[in-house]
Amino acid sequence: MENLLLGNVIESGNISPFSCPFCGYNGSLDLMGADRFPVLRTLQVIGAGRRAARCPKCKSSDKERLVYIYLKEVEKIEKTKGLSMLHIAPESNLQIWLQSISDKYIAGDAFLQNQKFIGKVQFVDIRQTEFCNNQFDYIICNHVICDIKEDKTALMEILRILKTGGKAILQVPITKISKTVEYPNVYTKEEREVVYGYGYHERIYNDKEYVKLLTSVGFVVDVYNISARYNKNGLNPLEDLYICKKK
Ligand SMILES: [Zn+2]
């Protein structure tokens, strides 16, 4: 019975033992995410909903570990002079690591009040920033684009400030069984919770429509899934990576 509790990702039945790539914790994962909004189940939304995904020691989530594992193990980025990174809505464990390898790391958020950040975070509205064209090697927006009404404006801005050859990691919650869900007349947190399953989301993207959107802005998009290769690290087996390159 004990093994069934180790790293048990409820939404997919992954029962590999969990080992945290950030803090080294070995054991079972804590539950996280809302379970009271039926839309998350009805649309089988990936990257949202109730699941065993929180490290009890460092509090990292499956979404945070996915970006970390990708950058560290797949991209194999290391401490490099001049490496410039922009990290929007920074997750703590990721921020600590990125700060340690990048001497041009900037963490930004459009909502600085009532949030606890571990390091320095400056005001950044990703729809319109003061950064230069071609400034960043990497831009990380982990489940941020889904919160922005003017998503295309934000994506065009990300493309503008990304270096040619640079990469943006632009994760969002995804449904693969429905078209993109977006209601023009939904305004309040309570209304959003009912139709999107989260009070700050502006839509739920269909996977293929999301790639079309990213491509229409000018990104070259690679979609891949690394969760099976790193199945001990508590990744969501269903969450694909959307790696967006600027040619
Ligand atoms: Zn941990």
Side-chain angles (χ1 to χ4, degrees):
M1 267 313 281
E2 200 188 4
N3 259 350
L4 288 175
L5 297 172
L6 295 176
N8 186 359
V9 177
I10 284 176
E11 65 181 24
S12 64
N14 179 349
I15 51 168
S16 300
F18 171 61
S19 176
C20 183
F22 281 118
C23 71
Y25 170 86
N26 291 290
S28 55
L29 286 154
D30 284 348
L31 286 169
M32 63 174 282
D35 61 353
R36 62 188 190 283
F37 306 117
V39 65
L40 296 173
R41 282 190 186 281
T42 311
L43 297 182
Q44 298 176 22
V45 179
I46 299 164
R50 194 78 170 155
R51 60 206 192 278
R54 176 86 65 203
C55 173
K57 191 175 168 192
C58 72
K59 308 300 176 195
S60 66
S61 70
D62 49 355
K63 297 182 278 191
E64 184 179 2
R65 290 188 296 271
L66 177 63
V67 174
Y68 176 64
I69 295 279
Y70 170 75
L71 290 172
K72 192 162 194 277
E73 305 296 340
V74 181
E75 284 282 303
K76 297 191 185 303
I77 60 168
E78 292 175 342
K79 188 167 182 167
T80 312
K81 200 169 180 335
L83 183 67
S84 56
M85 307 190 104
L86 177 63
H87 186 190
I88 299 295
E91 303 96 327
S92 300
N93 296 284
L94 205 48
Q95 181 171 7
I96 291 167
W97 178 65
L98 293 173
Q99 271 174 338
S100 75
I101 60 164
S102 163
D103 56 358
K104 291 183 176 175
Y105 170 85
I106 294 172
D109 200 296
F111 304 97
L112 296 177
Q113 283 181 338
N114 304 320
Q115 286 213 72
K116 264 193 180 170
F117 294 109
I118 202 143
K120 188 178 162 221
V121 181
Q122 68 184 60
F123 174 81
V124 175
D125 180 344
I126 197 61
R127 296 170 302 178
Q128 186 175 13
T129 72
E130 294 180 349
F131 301 121
C132 302
N133 292 348
N134 301 301
Q135 182 164 339
F136 295 102
D137 294 297
Y138 289 93
I139 298 175
I140 297 151
C141 276
N142 201 8
H143 292 256
V144 171
I145 301 298
C146 43
D147 296 359
I148 301 173
K149 192 106 193 153
E150 305 82 5
D151 54 353
K152 202 160 183 172
T153 308
L155 292 169
M156 286 165 71
E157 180 67 356
I158 290 168
L159 187 70
R160 182 185 73 78
I161 62 179
L162 193 63
K163 280 185 190 172
T164 303
K167 290 178 183 171
I169 304 173
L170 306 176
Q171 300 302 108
V172 292
I174 288 285
T175 176
K176 294 188 176 182
I177 63 162
S178 156
K179 293 191 299 185
T180 293
V181 176
E182 184 169 18
Y183 300 94
N185 299 320
V186 165
Y187 300 107
T188 68
K189 183 169 178 274
E190 290 71 26
E191 288 170 336
R192 288 196 187 97
E193 283 177 342
V194 172
V195 296
Y196 305 133
Y198 189 67
Y200 300 99
H201 285 172
E202 295 289 352
R203 66 194 72 75
I204 302 169
Y205 293 98
N206 165 269
D207 57 329
K208 292 187 175 62
E209 286 181 64
Y210 186 53
V211 172
K212 258 189 201 165
L213 172 69
L214 296 166
T215 308
S216 74
V217 169
F219 287 110
V220 175
V221 185
D222 284 330
V223 181
Y224 48 111
N225 191 308
I226 61 168
S227 56
R229 217 186 320 161
Y230 302 99
N231 63 355
K232 289 187 166 43
N233 295 142
L235 307 184
N236 180 341
L238 300 174
E239 184 169 0
D240 297 328
L241 278 158
Y242 295 86
I243 308 299
C244 305
K245 292 181 288 192
K246 180 173 174 178
K247 270 221 301 198

